[in-house]
Amino acid sequence: MPRLIQVTLLLFALLTVCYMPLPLSVAEQNQVAIIIDDFGGNVKGVDDFLTGEIPITAAIMPFQPFSTEQAERAHQAGLEVIIHMPMEPKRGKASWLGPKAITSQLSDDEIRIRVREAIADIPHAKGINNHMGSKIVENEHIVRVILEEAKAHNLYVIDSGTSPRSMIPKVAEELGIPYATRHIFLDDTMSSRVHVRKQMTSLLKVVEKQHKAIGIGHVGIKGNETFAGISHALPIFKENRVDIVPASHLLDSPIDKDYQFFWQQQLKEE
């Protein structure tokens, strides 16, 4: 082969290597957490998510008929568990909160006791987020009491984003607690799977810009539709090389850093 051709081929090979896209670093990997709220009852979507193949973060309401049982099931399925703590909203029915919610008339000691009881009721919990709570999260003093208990039990915090004036980020920052805020709600009370899939597409756009994003969906009246909508959107995430990881992996914390092996069936202890 003439030397000129050899040199030309060598230069072409070098240029090809130089312009190949480099893989994202660990810090820049596109990752999304999908938190599913309202576990704890016998509602639609529970079995779909707990026996399906979507590596969600299961947010379980304490003091419900199946709270502890579903926390155990989620853990055995290899899912990350967090406490979905009911908190008083500005509007709504008290019945929506269930028992032992955090309300504004409670004393500091009563708040601490309820948070501790919730932690005891939800085994394997690694974090906490708020169920409703638009009134509570704006109260810096109450938020501080709640987060002090969370810190004492090594829990991270997710702000569900029910109020733009939430004090959770400010207090979490001051206390040195790993935290993040929800980007997009994937559903609402009567969402269809088509709506959920569109919301998943919106979540994908967020993660493409920021590398990390959090979406929150729900089990409940339309929990099966939420499951279907998320499932239908998964191929798009795979095509765009976006990993679904536990919420803890989006935080600046040492919790479960080896995310590649987090979602595996846990062996039952003998």
Side-chain angles (χ1 to χ4, degrees), residues 81-84 124-129 154-157:
V81 173
I82 66 175
I83 299 163
H84 191 44
H124 313 294
K126 294 185 178 179
I128 184 170
N129 74 339
N154 298 313
L155 299 179
Y156 65 82
V157 179

Side-chain angles (χ1 to χ4, degrees), residues 8-55:
T8 301
L9 290 174
L10 178 60
L11 287 173
F12 178 78
L14 288 172
L15 286 171
T16 301
V17 171
C18 290
Y19 283 97
M20 285 180 63
L22 296 175
L24 290 172
S25 68
V26 173
E28 295 174 326
Q29 285 179 350
N30 289 336
Q31 298 176 335
V32 64
I34 297 177
I35 299 172
I36 302 298
D37 287 348
D38 295 348
F39 281 95
N42 182 21
V43 295
K44 292 181 180 179
V46 169
D47 287 337
D48 291 326
F49 281 112
L50 293 185
T51 61
E53 298 182 352
I54 305 173

